[in-house]
């Protein structure tokens, strides 16, 4: 989207199901490393603030390191991490010679040569972009079965509550953030599961023998059942124990995505199906979704099962995944985005008064291209119906009929982002002028004061890029009218499950409502909603009351007024997708709380009510 927001994260997990020597002989020693690199690169859209890779070796003799981990916050973190891992392989090959192709020697002399791999891509939604905030997080212990590495795509709405639970258990968490609380809570119940098995067998076996028994009998599903029951949020969490047990757990509403593929050689998990498809060249039909409220659990032998670990809620998988975040090369997402564009056609035709001859269509940014294609497909269908009507009317004006039959909607590449331009000027007076030139345009393709320009975007969040850059740039072309079309509905409420949208005043739709309330002398509604939020038990989202007095069209019209600065001469109109059409385009993915305020968990209501209280009290802080 043209309004940049940080969002989501990406996970990747590989479990080799055969002995390492099998893969060395068949594919070479670098097989798993290369596959994880592909899985992560094909999901780099999910996180560019940092990355991390963890690896666990199975059946390593005491005295040898069995867990390896690298994390990076460099400009190209994935590349930097795998360069470092590759250096270790090169060094081992030089030192080992022929032994480099022997499993035992390789494991004992080279890091990142284990059978279980975990990768993570980070977009920071909380805290500084420091290496300490990068996943995988590591909880080390001298007992392999108690060591734990965790990486996830998640945000918890009840971190305070989880922190208090940990302290009541007797722990002393080092930070009050969800990454630490999640890992420590899982780690606590992992310790208890270890202890439970130990108590069962301590009178029959030696401690060394019990360690092996724990590896065989450890019940990760039970650990997750106990650890995750207090979680409120959206999550797809992956973890590996030091002994090589692995899991990927998905939240009860299916908010965050997770998919897996398995055959006799590997089990692979990723946030996006396309990454698995590309990295392992498998059929889409063989890639399965990890169901909401279910966990994929892999034991130390490589056997896997997907089982429910928590009570499911109504399915509310994130619709922003479909609109923007996930790669559009996924066939289902591609089709849904095209449909989103096509469903906007009736509103656009009304806005241009059905004058296709004097309308030019374009899109911004590149991720909006698919919805643009759907929009143009809809325009072509409208034109075909019109042509058919003319043919049936048996008109005698051959010239006019020929003109109609040969006509095609006008499409131009109007908006181009100048990726090299940097807004280094610091004073406010000049910064806005520089920002206005971040985008460039194609000149002399618009009929001045005659044409209407229609530009489709994935979503309009803050409206600042429209106001400070895109509209100014398009107005220089001197069109009669500029229509900005959003393939997503109006974003009215904060997201608290993985996307960095947490402050009410960041949303152009909310600012539009504030202006409407002031104009209509209904500002008392703000105070009434504020009082409700202060005493709320969070079973309801009281911020809905603020939007209730106005129609969808009134808010869109006010947004157009807000983003049109005084220097813009063209008429400006903003058209948003409707929630109803969003559900038509993506009927299996109904997570729409940022548009409707219908949060899937109570924690979501807590966050939106708190965000509104923060706004009313002038607090510039996050709501979770």
């Amino acid at each position: 989207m043209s309004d940049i927001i940080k969002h989501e994260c990406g996970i990747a997990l590989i479990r080799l199901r055969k002995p390492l020597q099998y893969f060395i002989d068949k594919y070479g020693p670098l097989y798993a490393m290369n596959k994880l690199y592909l899985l992560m690169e094909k999901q780099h859209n999910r996180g560019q603030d940092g990355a991390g890779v963890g690896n666990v070796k199975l059946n390593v003799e005491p005295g040898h390191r069995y867990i390896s981990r690298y994390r990076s916050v460099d400009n190209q973190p994935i590349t930097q991490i795998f360069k470092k891992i590759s250096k270790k392989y090169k060094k081992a090959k030089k030192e080992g010679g022929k032994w480099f192709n022997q499993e035992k020697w390789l494991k004992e002399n080279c890091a990142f040569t284990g059978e279980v791999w975990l990768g993570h891509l980070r977009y920071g939604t909380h805290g500084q972009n420091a290496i300490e905030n990068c996943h995988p997080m590591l909880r080390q212990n001298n007992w392999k079965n108690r060591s734990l590495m965790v990486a996830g795509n998640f945000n918890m709405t009840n971190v305070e509550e989880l922190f208090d639970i940990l302290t009541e258990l007797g722990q002393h968490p080092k930070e009050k953030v969800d990454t630490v609380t999640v890992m420590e809570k899982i780690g606590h119940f992992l310790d208890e599961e270890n202890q439970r098995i130990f108590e069962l067998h301590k009178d029959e076996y030696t401690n060394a023998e019990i360690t092996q028994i724990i590896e065989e009998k450890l019940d990760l599903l039970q650990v997750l059942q106990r650890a995750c029951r207090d979680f409120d949020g959206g999550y797809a969490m992956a973890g590996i124990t030091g002994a090589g047990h692995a899991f990927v757990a998905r939240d009860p509403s299916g908010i965050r995505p997770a998919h897996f593929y398995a055959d006799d050689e590997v089990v692979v998990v990723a946030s996006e199906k396309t990454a698995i498809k590309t990295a392992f060249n498998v059929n889409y039909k063989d890639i399965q979704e990890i169901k909401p409220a279910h966990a994929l659990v892999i034991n130390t032998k490589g056997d896997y099962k997907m089982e429910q670990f928590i009570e499911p809620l109504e399915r509310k998988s994130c619709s922003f995944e479909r609109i923007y975040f996930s790669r559009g090369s996924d066939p289902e997402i591609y089709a849904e985005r095209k449909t989103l564009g096509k469903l906007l056609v009736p509103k656009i035709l009304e806005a241009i008064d059905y004058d296709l001859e004097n309308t030019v269509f374009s899109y911004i940014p590149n991720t909006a291209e698919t919805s643009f294609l759907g929009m143009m497909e809809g325009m072509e269908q409208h034109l075909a119906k019109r042509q058919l009507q003319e043919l049936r009317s048996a008109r005698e004006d051959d010239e006019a009929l020929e003109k109609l039959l040969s006509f095609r909607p006008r499409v131009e590449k109007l908006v181009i982002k100048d990726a090299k331009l940097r807004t280094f000027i610091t004073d406010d007076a000049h910064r806005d002028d520089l920002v206005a030139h971040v985008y460039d345009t194609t000149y002399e393709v618009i009929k001045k004061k005659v044409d209407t320009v229609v530009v489709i975007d994935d979503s309009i969040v803050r409206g600042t890029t429209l106001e400070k850059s895109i509209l100014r740039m398009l107005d220089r072309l001197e069109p009669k009218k500029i229509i900005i079309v959003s393939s997503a509905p109006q974003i009215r409420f904060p997201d608290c499950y993985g996307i960095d949208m947490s402050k009410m005043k960041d949303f152009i739709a909310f600012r539009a409502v504030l202006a409407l309330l002031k104009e209509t002398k209904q500002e008392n509604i703000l105070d009434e909603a504020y009082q409700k939020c202060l005493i709320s038990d969070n079973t309801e989202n009281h911020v809905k009351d603020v939007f209730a007095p106005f129609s969808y069209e009134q808010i869109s019209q006010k947004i157009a007024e807000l983003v049109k600065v005084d220097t813009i001469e063209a008429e400006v109109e903003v058209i948003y997708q409707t929630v109803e059409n969003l559900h038509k385009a993506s009927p299996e993915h109904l997570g729409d709380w940022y548009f409707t305020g219908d949060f899937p968990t109570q924690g979501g209501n807590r966050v939106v009510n708190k965000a509104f209280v923060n706004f009313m009290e002038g607090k510039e802080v996050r709501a979770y």
Side-chain angles (χ1 to χ4, degrees):
M1 56 191 68
S2 53
D3 283 329
I4 299 300
I5 61 172
K6 293 185 177 182
H7 62 89
E8 312 291 348
C9 284
I11 57 172
L13 183 143
I14 297 175
R15 170 57 158 95
L16 303 181
R17 300 187 69 199
K18 292 182 180 293
L20 184 61
Q21 192 64 50
Y22 169 90
F23 295 93
I24 294 172
D25 295 340
K26 187 173 181 179
Y27 304 110
L30 279 64
Y31 171 78
M33 182 196 76
N34 288 335
K35 291 297 186 184
L36 188 72
Y37 173 73
L38 275 175
L39 280 178
M40 294 178 69
E41 272 295 343
K42 292 302 177 181
Q43 297 183 104
H44 76 270
N45 53 298
R46 304 190 68 84
Q48 295 163 27
D49 285 344
V53 170
N55 180 255
V56 172
K57 301 174 185 178
L58 304 180
N59 306 316
V60 177
E61 293 294 324
H64 296 282
R65 184 179 293 273
Y66 60 92
I67 296 180
S68 305
R69 179 182 61 155
Y70 276 155
R71 297 177 294 173
S72 173
V73 290
D74 291 339
N75 288 334
Q76 295 180 309
I78 302 172
T79 301
Q80 292 302 316
I81 286 171
F82 282 95
K83 273 185 178 178
K84 289 177 71 175
I85 296 173
S86 295
K87 282 183 181 179
K88 289 191 173 293
Y89 276 91
K90 288 176 182 177
K91 182 181 178 183
K93 187 174 183 179
K94 183 177 180 180
E95 292 176 352
K98 65 178 183 179
W99 295 107
F100 181 69
N101 290 308
Q102 298 300 313
E103 174 183 346
K104 188 174 187 300
W105 185 92
L106 195 61
K107 280 187 175 181
E108 291 179 353
N109 292 276
C110 185
F112 294 95
T113 53
E115 293 88 342
V116 198
W117 292 75
L118 180 58
H120 185 263
L121 301 123
R122 179 177 189 267
Y123 257 131
T125 57
H126 189 74
Q128 297 180 342
N129 190 33
I131 199 163
E132 291 80 11
N133 299 119
C134 284
H135 300 197
M137 309 299 282
L138 183 58
R139 189 178 193 262
Q140 289 185 289
N141 196 293
N142 239 18
W143 279 265
K144 287 197 302 181
N145 294 304
R146 292 174 183 251
S147 291
L148 178 65
M149 205 161 28
V150 172
N153 169 13
F154 61 84
N155 264 5
M156 298 301 168
T157 68
N158 61 335
V159 175
E160 296 274 353
E161 178 186 333
L162 294 175
F163 183 87
D164 291 342
I165 290 171
L166 287 176
T167 56
E168 287 169 10
L169 290 171
Q171 291 194 17
H172 186 95
K174 61 181 181 180
E175 290 181 85
K176 193 181 287 188
V177 293
D178 54 7
T179 50
V180 172
T181 52
V182 164
M183 183 181 66
E184 291 301 335
K185 197 148 188 290
I186 296 172
H188 171 81
F189 288 106
L190 178 65
D191 286 345
E192 287 207 346
E193 174 65 5
N194 273 266
Q195 192 63 34
R196 181 187 70 81
I197 300 172
F198 177 82
E199 293 294 336
L200 285 174
H201 300 284
K202 66 181 182 181
D203 296 329
E204 305 172 52
Y205 301 96
T206 66
N207 286 359
E209 289 171 332
I210 294 175
T211 296
Q212 185 62 40
I213 292 171
I214 292 173
E215 284 191 21
E216 295 171 0
K217 295 191 174 185
L218 187 76
D219 189 346
L220 263 186
L221 194 70
Q222 182 171 299
V223 172
L224 294 171
Q225 286 170 342
R226 300 179 70 193
C228 301
R229 60 190 173 196
D230 299 311
F231 291 170
D232 187 304
Y235 56 85
M237 291 184 297
I240 310 172
T241 71
H245 307 87
F247 70 87
V248 180
R250 196 171 175 209
D251 67 81
S253 299
I255 295 170
R256 300 271 70 86
H259 303 86
F260 79 98
Y261 165 79
D263 59 25
D264 62 342
E265 290 187 344
V266 293
V267 179
V268 186
V269 180
S271 295
E272 297 188 35
K273 288 193 290 186
T274 50
I276 299 174
K277 164 69 178 173
T278 302
F280 288 85
N281 191 30
V282 297
N283 293 322
Y284 267 104
K285 65 180 179 63
D286 295 325
I287 303 171
Q288 301 179 56
E289 177 188 48
I290 297 177
K291 297 176 184 177
H294 284 65
L296 183 73
V297 178
I298 311 168
N299 66 19
T300 54
K301 296 178 181 178
D303 299 325
Y304 67 93
K305 58 184 177 181
M306 180 169 59
E307 290 188 290
Q308 182 179 319
F309 71 96
I310 199 167
E311 198 64 32
L313 300 173
E314 182 183 357
R315 184 187 175 98
K316 291 283 186 177
S317 47
C318 175
S319 57
F320 252 125
E321 286 281 349
R322 326 301 291 182
I323 297 167
Y324 171 72
F325 293 143
S326 292
R327 282 183 175 251
S329 51
D330 182 302
E332 292 178 0
I333 290 174
Y334 182 81
E336 289 170 18
R337 289 181 183 174
K338 283 191 72 176
T339 303
L340 285 170
K342 189 179 293 187
L343 289 170
L344 286 160
V345 167
K347 276 193 172 184
I348 296 170
L349 286 169
E350 286 181 20
I352 65 173
D353 198 23
Y354 295 87
D355 182 8
L356 287 172
E357 187 174 348
N358 296 308
T359 302
V360 175
F361 297 93
S362 194
Y363 61 89
I364 180 173
N366 288 340
T367 51
E369 184 175 7
T370 306
S371 58
F372 170 79
L373 293 174
M375 178 179 71
M376 297 317 300
E377 191 175 293
M379 290 297 171
E380 293 278 3
Q381 289 173 355
H382 162 77
L383 188 59
K385 288 179 182 178
R386 183 176 156 195
Q387 290 167 339
L388 183 60
Q389 288 171 354
E390 291 295 322
L391 285 170
R392 285 174 174 168
S393 68
R395 287 174 46 167
E396 295 181 3
D397 187 346
D398 291 343
E399 185 177 340
L401 185 59
E402 183 180 352
K403 182 181 178 182
L404 177 62
L405 291 175
S406 62
F407 179 78
R408 292 291 178 271
R410 295 166 61 196
V411 172
E412 301 291 352
K413 179 72 173 176
L414 291 180
V415 184
I416 307 137
K417 188 169 186 178
D418 189 345
K420 295 181 180 179
L421 190 63
R422 296 289 182 267
T423 54
F424 54 87
I425 295 176
T426 55
D427 60 291
D428 292 340
H430 295 90
R431 186 190 296 112
D432 284 354
D433 184 60
L434 191 62
V435 167
H437 292 82
V438 168
Y439 290 92
D440 205 352
T441 188
T442 306
Y443 291 94
E444 305 304 325
V445 294
I446 301 297
K447 291 179 287 186
K448 296 180 180 180
K449 307 301 180 183
V450 174
D451 282 342
T452 293
V453 171
V454 176
V455 178
I456 191 168
D457 195 348
D458 307 290
S459 180
I460 304 167
V461 185
R462 300 182 181 96
T464 49
T465 308
L466 274 181
E467 178 186 349
K468 296 182 182 296
S469 183
I470 295 170
L471 286 174
R472 293 184 188 185
M473 175 265 298
L474 289 173
D475 194 56
R476 293 193 190 105
L477 303 178
E478 298 184 55
K480 179 182 71 174
K481 184 177 182 180
I482 301 169
I483 300 174
I484 303 296
V485 182
S486 170
S487 68
Q490 297 168 4
I491 298 172
R492 300 179 170 193
F493 304 97
D495 181 71
C496 52
Y497 303 122
I499 304 168
D500 190 19
M501 300 190 300
S502 61
K503 298 175 185 175
M504 292 300 304
K505 75 171 189 177
D506 284 348
F507 308 127
I508 187 68
F510 181 68
R511 298 204 301 275
V513 164
L514 293 179
L516 288 167
L517 288 170
K518 185 175 182 180
E519 288 175 11
T520 58
K521 296 180 170 53
Q522 297 184 79
E523 289 173 290
N524 59 295
I525 291 174
L526 293 173
D527 294 323
E528 291 167 7
Y530 172 62
Q531 293 301 324
K532 287 181 182 179
C533 289
L534 285 176
I535 62 173
S536 177
D537 61 359
N538 299 312
T539 56
E540 291 183 57
N541 169 6
H542 300 293
V543 188
K544 285 183 178 183
D545 295 351
V546 177
F547 290 87
F550 308 106
S551 70
Y552 208 70
E553 290 71 24
Q554 283 177 296
I555 295 172
S556 292
Q557 183 178 344
K558 180 53 65 176
I559 289 170
E561 293 175 19
L562 291 178
V563 297
K564 182 182 176 180
V565 293
D566 293 338
T567 56
I568 293 174
E569 295 184 7
E571 180 186 350
V572 175
E573 184 171 349
V574 177
I575 296 174
Y576 279 94
Q577 186 70 264
T578 65
V579 174
E580 181 184 8
N581 279 344
L582 173 66
H583 292 171
K584 283 182 183 177
S586 188
E588 301 299 320
H589 305 274
L590 303 178
D592 60 6
W593 51 90
Y594 5 72
F595 313 125
T596 64
D598 297 331
F599 288 86
T601 73
Q602 187 168 322
N605 291 331
R606 182 191 307 119
V607 167
V608 68
N609 290 335
K610 186 176 180 182
F612 185 71
V613 168
N614 289 342
F615 165 75
M616 293 294 288
E617 296 178 353
K619 295 178 180 177
E620 288 288 327
V621 293
R622 295 169 59 87
Y624 62 96

